[in-house]
Every structure is written in structure tokens, then in C-alpha cells.
Amino acid sequence: MATETHGMNWHAECLMDAGSAKGMPQLCTDWMPNQVFWLLVTLVVLFFILKTIALPRIGAVLAERKGTITNDLAAAEELRQKAIAAERSFNEALATARAEAGKIVAAAKADIQKELDAATARADLEIGAKAAESEKRIAEIREGALAAVEAVAKDTAAELVTALGGTVDAGAVTAAVAARLKG
Amino acid sequence: MATEGGFSIHPMDQFVVKPLFGDGPVEWYTLTNVTLWMGLALVCIFALFVLATRHRGLIPTRLQSIAEVFYGFIHNMVEEVAGHEGVKYFPLVMTLFLFVLLSNLLGLLPMSFTTTSHVAVTGVLALLVFLGVTLIGISRKGLGFFAMFWVSSAPLALRPILAVIEVISYIMRPVSHSIRLAGNLLAGHAVLKVFAGFASMAIISPLAIAGAVGIYALEVLVAFVQAYVFTILTCVYLKDAVGEAHH
């Protein structure tokens, strides 16, 4: 920049002939009114832009966001409470259903037991009847067998007496067999 | 400044105020490079804080979230440092912060002009803060504002001496406030220019360019840090005017 500005008159006291700074440009009082004037203009414009437009807008956005977040958190908390309540009622329903099922199972078991007992009793009766019948038949058979033994014994005794050359006295044989059988 | 051999370095030329059009003298109303770069800072702030936020998105766009970050950052700073009463002056603090920050950052563009490297500019900013804080303090606390110079926790014999020291340090505030900012930017930009000047010497040009890159990175940091420091000091001064007495 410095080379192309020959012949200017910015403020000769603060500048060398070639347009370079003489000493510290910061201390050149000739420029200060200009700097101060434009600074004040800039600050005033900036202040009004910020004060009237930018800061209220950003403040409102931040407040709105904060409100939204707070509301959302409250809504989330509410939903969480609802979820907890729903879970609790579900658990209650589950417990009730379980108790109901237990009751039904117990009732069914009792029914079955009753039927089972009745069937067992009936079966026992039948078995008892069958056993009694069988015992009676066995007794009959035993009677029959005993009678047969007596007859065979009489016959055998008579035959033995005959074979030994005696005479058979039917009455004595019968008495003897009876005595033996009794003994 | 230094002219030796085939190259010359003029680290201060970048700070020269010159008219945008023609070669006339620099009057107070002349459109100069000061006007241009302050105007560009204004345009950038307008773009970021007005255009980028025009949708008022509940879910912000990238630019809108940058504007929101700056808003939240400065708002918190004012509230924490200056106290709850200071929030009323948040737009003023925000104006100062954004102007300083954008001027610092735009000043880092090549061929640009750094308005905040001039003590005339930072001095006016610091004087505005100084006068503003003093007037706010007097209007809020009346003569009680001057009680902060009377250190009631010190032994009675020491209080007049401390009062003199307090008054001097109070009056010196705008000086340190403004020279800190302008001095940081002036020094950084001048050093950058010196490094850049040495880059035309073939032997040391790699070193000079590496140095310039390093200084540039440092200057980006300085641009933010000095804007932050200027703003937080403004808040600290504001606290004297609006906060509870802390002496």
C-alpha cells in the first residue's frame, strides 16, 4: 500500500514522505477525532441492534427452550408414573389370575379326588364281593375234597382189611376212618 | 522502521489511519479504514446475532448456537461477577464484548486494520466504562458510592492513606483497562509483521514463516483472551457500582 500513495495528504505530521508511519501511529492525535467519532457511531448502532433485536430474540429462544425442556421432562415424569402404575396394575392382575388359577386347580384336584375315592370304594366293594364268592367256592371245593378223602379212606381201609384177609365191617371202618380224620 | 540492504520492514505501517477514498486529510467525519473495519465488525455481529437467529429455532442451527453460546457466556459472567443487579446492564457489556472480540478477530485477517490496537479506541471504550460505572454508582448509592474508598475494615489511622491509594487506583482504572487491550494487540501485530518481513530473506525464511504461524496462533488466542479480560474487568468495575459494599 505504502508505495502507491505518494502525494497524499492524510496527515503529514504522522507520516513519512513515503506514507510510512512516523513513530507510533497510535500516538498520532490528528487521527483521534476520526477514530473516536466512528467508534461512537459503531457502538451506538451495535448497542441498538443488540438491545432491540438480537438479545431479546436470543433470550426468548433460550427461555422457550428451557420451558420446553422443563415441560418435556414433566411430561416424561408423568408418563413414567403412568408406566409404573400400569405395571403395578398388571402385576396385580397377574397375581389375581394366578390365585384364581390356583383355586381352580385346587377345586379340580378335589373333584378328581372325590371321584377317585368313589371309584376306589366301588372297586373295593366289587373286589370284596368277588373275594367272598371265591372263598365260598374254595370252601365248597375243600368240603368236596374232604368228603372225597373220607370215601377214599373208607374204601382204602376196606380194601386193606380185605387184602389182609379180614372181613370188612363197614361200621368199624367208618368209625375208625372218622376217628383218624378227626385226629 | 528498519531499512537495510534490499528489504525493509515497516511493522507500524499497518496501524496508519488513511482515507478510503482520495488522499484528503483525515477529518473527524472522513470515511477511513477505521470506518471500514468497525463497519465490518458490525456486519459480522449483525450476521451472527440477527440473521443467523432469524428462525428463532428451538433446535438451533450452527450459527445460532454460536450466538447463543456468546449470549449465555456473557450473561453468566455479568450475573456471577457483577451480581444480580448487574444483569440490567447486560446489553451494554455485550456491546463492548462483541465489538472488542470482532475487532480483534477481524484484525487478524491479512491486510486488515486492527481498530482495537489504537489507544484512542480502547481509551474511549475504557472511559465509557469508567464514566458509566461512576454515574451508575452515584445514581444508585448517592454519596454512599464513595464509601468504597473508605476502607472501614482497616485501622482508623490508616484509612486516610488507604483512601488516597484507593482513589488513585480507581482513577487509573481506565488507563490500565485500555492500554492492556491496545498494547496486547499492537505488540502481537507488530511482531507478526516483523516475522513476515524476515520471510523475504531466503536463509531464514522457513524460520520466519514458522515463527509467523506460531505468533498468529498465539494472536488468535490473545484476541479471545483480551476481549474476555476487557469484559470481565468491566463486570468487576460494574460490581462496585451495583453490588453490595465489599470493603
Side-chain angles (χ1 to χ4, degrees):
Chain A
M1 290 292 272
T3 50
E4 59 193 55
T5 47
H6 282 285
M8 81 285 122
N9 177 27
W10 298 342
H11 253 292
E13 309 90 282
C14 303
L15 294 172
M16 313 259 221
D17 287 341
S20 290
K22 192 192 282 179
M24 278 182 70
Q26 277 78 6
L27 300 179
C28 179
T29 50
D30 295 333
W31 293 333
M32 287 185 180
N34 183 272
Q35 292 169 315
V36 172
F37 170 69
W38 289 113
L39 172 65
L40 293 178
V41 170
T42 310
L43 286 182
V44 168
V45 173
L46 180 56
F47 177 74
F48 278 100
I49 289 173
L50 290 178
K51 171 91 178 170
T52 56
I53 309 173
L55 298 184
R57 184 187 287 174
I58 295 173
V61 168
L62 291 180
E64 192 189 344
R65 184 173 311 145
K66 202 174 169 192
T68 309
I69 288 170
T70 312
N71 284 345
D72 286 359
L73 283 180
E77 178 61 23
E78 200 176 303
L79 288 176
R80 199 174 71 92
Q81 294 300 342
K82 269 186 194 163
I84 287 172
E87 197 191 349
R88 196 183 299 129
S89 69
F90 167 77
N91 280 340
E92 270 166 21
L94 195 65
T96 316
R98 225 175 241 152
E100 196 77 12
K103 240 181 262 171
I104 290 169
V105 166
K109 241 185 213 161
D111 276 358
I112 289 167
Q113 191 63 45
K114 213 183 285 169
E115 272 173 31
L116 194 62
D117 286 350
T120 311
R122 217 178 311 127
D124 281 351
L125 271 181
E126 264 171 38
I127 288 166
K130 284 246 170 85
E133 199 176 312
S134 304
E135 257 167 37
K136 207 163 72 190
R137 283 192 55 198
I138 288 167
E140 272 169 20
I141 288 167
R142 195 181 280 147
E143 299 269 301
L146 279 176
V149 166
E150 202 175 337
V152 170
K154 273 182 204 166
D155 285 350
T156 310
E159 286 297 319
L160 279 172
V161 170
T162 310
L164 291 170
T167 37
V168 178
D169 182 0
V173 170
T174 305
V177 169
R180 278 278 176 191
L181 280 174
K182 227 181 262 169
Chain B
M1 298 274 276
T3 310
E4 21 178 294
F7 80 105
S8 57
I9 302 170
H10 300 286
M12 305 309 271
D13 282 4
Q14 59 178 321
F15 303 119
V16 169
V17 175
K18 55 191 94 168
L20 287 177
F21 310 106
D23 282 341
V26 175
E27 304 288 351
W28 62 269
Y29 52 81
T30 311
L31 290 170
T32 56
N33 46 359
V34 177
T35 322
L36 173 68
W37 288 98
M38 284 184 182
L40 284 177
L42 202 55
V43 167
C44 291
I45 297 168
F46 186 82
L48 183 61
F49 278 79
V50 177
L51 297 184
T53 61
R54 68 190 182 283
H55 298 303
R56 299 157 190 267
L58 200 58
I59 297 160
T61 58
R62 288 177 198 178
L63 284 178
Q64 189 190 328
S65 67
I66 291 173
E68 287 173 5
V69 164
F70 280 130
Y71 180 101
F73 181 64
I74 300 300
H75 198 270
N76 283 350
M77 187 196 288
V78 173
E79 197 162 13
E80 280 169 22
V81 178
H84 199 69
E85 288 293 306
V87 174
K88 215 193 303 181
Y89 306 104
F90 164 62
L92 287 166
V93 177
M94 192 74 174
T95 304
L96 288 177
F97 173 74
L98 288 178
F99 176 76
V100 173
L101 180 67
L102 264 295
S103 299
N104 291 355
L105 289 177
L106 288 176
L108 284 169
L109 295 174
M111 309 300 291
S112 72
F113 175 80
T114 318
T115 52
T116 40
S117 68
H118 277 264
V119 279
V121 172
T122 59
V124 169
L125 292 174
L127 268 179
L128 287 175
V129 172
F130 178 78
L131 293 177
V133 163
T134 309
L135 291 178
I136 290 167
I138 291 172
S139 76
R140 288 177 66 96
K141 298 182 179 172
L143 289 176
F145 177 66
F146 296 105
M148 75 177 196
F149 300 127
W150 195 250
V151 187
S152 53
S153 58
L156 190 60
L158 279 178
R159 284 183 207 170
I161 303 167
L162 285 177
V164 172
I165 294 172
E166 288 281 329
V167 168
I168 291 172
S169 83
Y170 187 79
I171 290 171
M172 291 307 283
R173 273 179 182 179
V175 177
S176 66
H177 202 189
S178 58
I179 289 179
R180 179 182 301 108
L181 175 59
N184 267 288
L185 288 157
L186 162 68
H189 284 72
V191 169
L192 204 51
K193 205 74 167 187
V194 170
F195 270 98
F198 276 112
S200 65
M201 278 176 81
I203 304 168
I204 52 168
S205 68
L207 200 65
I209 290 170
V213 170
I215 296 287
Y216 192 91
L218 190 67
E219 283 306 296
V220 174
L221 184 69
V222 166
F224 278 101
V225 168
Q226 288 305 319
Y228 172 75
V229 167
F230 192 90
T231 315
I232 203 161
L233 281 174
T234 303
C235 293
V236 169
Y237 299 159
L238 193 58
K239 181 181 166 38
D240 287 338
V242 299
E244 300 299 312
H246 58 284
H247 280 299

